[in-house]
């Protein structure tokens, strides 16, 4: 019985380490620059094919960026994806300002002033993490 439990623990550890490594690599490769760095670091990197690689890097990074670990496949994470897609569908800065203004107003009306301040910070070009109280 002890041998069976030890084997199960070892297998669980192996599975966890494999999953963590896969998630770390997927996270890194979601950045086109990281993909290019890995390509450049290869011993057989053919610099004459760089223009082709540049064209494919964004596509490959997008595939990795869409990867979500199991713990990020919740309804909340799916809602964030919908929100990201929605915001990305408005490319003009004036459109984005309008959306963030509406978001801040909605948060204020929902009596969530701290969230409204964070949304307002987006309007001003600041990341919400620089606001006091987030540290």
């Amino acid at each position: 019985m002890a041998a069976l439990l030890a084997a199960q623990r070892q297998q669980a550890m192996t599975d966890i380490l494999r999953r963590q490594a896969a998630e770390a690599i997927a996270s890194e490769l979601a950045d086109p620059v990281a993909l290019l760095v890995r390509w450049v670091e290869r011993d057989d990197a053919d610099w004459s094919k760089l223009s082709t690689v540049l064209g494919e890097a964004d596509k490959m990074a997008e595939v990795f960026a869409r990867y979500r670990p199991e713990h990020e496949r919740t309804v909340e994470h799916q809602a964030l994806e919908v929100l990201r897609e929605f915001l990305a569908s408005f490319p003009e800065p004036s459109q984005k300002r309008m959306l963030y203004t509406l978001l801040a107003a909605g948060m204020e009306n929902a009596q969530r002033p701290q969230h409204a301040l964070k949304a307002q910070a987006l309007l001003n070009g600041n990341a919400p993490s620089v606001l006091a109280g987030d540290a």
Side-chain angles (χ1 to χ4, degrees):
M1 188 62 149
L4 177 61
L5 290 174
Q8 286 178 330
R9 278 193 299 272
Q10 182 60 40
Q11 184 62 48
M13 289 299 294
T14 300
D15 292 346
I16 289 169
L17 291 173
R18 184 180 306 120
R19 191 175 320 115
Q20 287 175 343
E23 289 174 7
I25 290 170
S27 177
E28 176 187 346
L29 297 181
D31 181 359
V33 173
L35 281 170
L36 290 174
V37 167
R38 281 188 173 237
W39 182 81
V40 168
E41 288 176 336
R42 290 184 10 214
D43 290 334
D44 63 341
D46 182 355
W47 288 90
S48 66
K49 295 181 181 178
L50 182 60
S51 62
T52 304
V53 171
L54 288 173
E56 295 298 316
D58 285 333
K59 293 176 193 171
M60 291 172 40
E62 180 66 27
V63 169
F64 284 108
R66 291 189 181 278
Y67 166 76
R68 292 292 175 259
E70 190 66 37
H71 68 277
E72 289 187 12
R73 296 180 191 164
T74 64
V75 172
E76 289 83 7
H77 282 90
Q78 292 174 11
L80 287 174
E81 289 300 318
V82 169
L83 187 56
R84 280 188 189 115
E85 288 176 20
F86 177 73
L87 291 173
S89 71
F90 295 92
E92 298 296 321
S94 61
Q95 294 172 321
K96 292 208 184 290
R97 278 193 301 277
M98 176 194 64
L99 290 171
Y100 292 130
T101 300
L102 289 171
L103 183 61
M107 291 173 172
E108 193 67 47
N109 285 337
Q111 298 178 358
R112 300 294 192 272
Q114 291 300 323
H115 292 102
L117 286 172
K118 291 177 183 180
Q120 187 67 37
L122 294 173
L123 269 169
N124 300 329
N126 299 318
S129 62
V130 299
L131 292 175
D134 280 354

